[in-house]
Amino acid sequence: MDINEMKKDKATVITIEGRLDSSTSGILEKKLLSLMDTGEKNFLLDFSGMDYISSAGLRVLLMVAKKSKTAKGKVLLSALTDNVKEVFDIAGFTDIFTIFATAEEALKDF
Amino acid sequence: MIKTEQLCKRYGSLTVLKDVSTEISKGEIISIIGPSGTGKSTFLRCLNLLEKPSGGSIYINNVDLLAKDTDVPKIRQKTGMVFQSFNLYAHLSVLENLTLGPVKLLGKSKAEANQKSLELLKLVGLAEKAHSFPDELSGGQKQRVAIARCLAMEPEVILFDEPTSALDPTMVSEVLAVIRRLAKAGMTMLVVTHEMEFARNISTRVFYMDEGIIYEEGTPEQIFENPQREKTRAFINRVRSFNYHIDNPNYDLYAMNAEIEAFCEKHLLPPRVCDHILLLVEETLLLQTDFSDISLNLAYFEKTGHLEFRCEAAGEPVNPLAEGVQSDDIGLKLIQSRIEDSQYRYENHKNMLFFKVKSE
């Protein structure tokens, strides 16, 4: 898995490529927590290059959404691939998160 | 009629038959099935002493075959054998192949032997080949002659050792038809065969041999429709298995995934099914707390196309699927979406989870 971060306007865009699973979710968690420690509270997680997510990845998303909400920020998601969208639907995460078709669209919402 | 007790056969350090104990009554038709090298043919060959057993006993009509004073040639006459490779005398005509034994060993007159042999050739549909030589016959015809020759010795039981394995597929049915006819006539038979439909239709009992024993036996319905033991099920359903062992929490997820993907590819499972399996396996491992000894098994039933996944984890008894055990239900929801059925058992200090994987 590759993680790229980029500051855009009010949000930090995190692009994830590859698999977000029990082996890699810890890396994402660490990355997001360190960004939050520096005061970031708005995140756009772009999943256009992510083809797999397991519950380990979903838990990290849940954690960051809660922390961000406490800090009065928000976490938006964009460009879910079919596999990832299916897992979101099954886990009920499509109702928890605001999901956009593209990163550009999502950025307008911050 | 035939009884074996703790029959065993070893070749040096190799034990082919470990402990075969069984009883076969007159008129029974026993099909012996199982993977290669599990002692099926050796068992038959021991029954007429083509192989000398290393231990145990064989009784035919209550006569101990292995007793020193037993008239072995006389007993052997009662147990005819049909081989995979026919074993006809190439320099003798078909009729002479049939009459040789009755004249030399049963003391019959040539005329009597000829008449009986012609009747038998008629029975196997080869009366017009009486004066042909084996080389002039097809494989199926040779095997029918071999069966007729066996019958000429008036056996009480016939042992068939893979009678159709050396035949062209087009000739299998003619030989099986002859065996069927003998079955209808009440002949006691033991047939080592790979022809499962034949075994299912003709047998009164089926022996599944594995590990040098009769691993499971039953009626054809029991063995083919509802085998009870693991190896029988695997054989009947043509199960392909994948096994993986984990002994620490920092197991290599990607090495395991690569092996699962290779397994799926090898058995032509669609990529979507493979994705389902990868998620199911990862989610199942995420439910575990003790990683000291985890065995994973994925079984693909080629015959039916269904998949089963099993996870056995050492540790204190806890059903990870039970309500309230996990801190959230995300993993359980994902697992549920990938399976048709699940079971939990605690056995031999192991938490065992069984899943039937959704095929679509």
Side-chain angles (χ1 to χ4, degrees), chain B residues 73 77 100-108 153:
Chain B
Q77 282 169 21
L100 185 68
V103 170
K104 295 240 176 194
L105 298 170
L106 300 182
K108 293 198 172 181
M153 292 300 289

Side-chain angles (χ1 to χ4, degrees), chain A residues 1 19-25 51-59 62 83 86-88 90-93, chain B residues 251 253-254 257 261 272 275-276 278-280 282-283 286-287 326-334 337-338:
Chain A
M1 180 190 69
R19 301 168 68 88
L20 188 54
D21 53 30
S22 46
S23 185
T24 56
S25 57
D51 49 22
Y52 178 94
I53 189 165
S54 69
S55 66
L58 294 175
R59 286 189 191 96
L62 210 53
N83 275 351
E86 193 199 352
V87 170
F88 265 68
I90 294 161
F93 272 46
Chain B
Y251 69 94
L253 177 70
Y254 296 136
N257 280 355
E261 281 170 336
R272 191 172 155 72
D275 285 345
H276 283 188
L278 293 174
L279 187 69
L280 175 63
E282 187 188 338
E283 293 303 336
L286 280 164
L287 301 180
Q326 305 298 326
S327 56
D328 64 49
D329 64 352
I330 305 171
L332 296 181
K333 278 182 180 167
L334 296 181
S337 74
R338 299 303 189 238

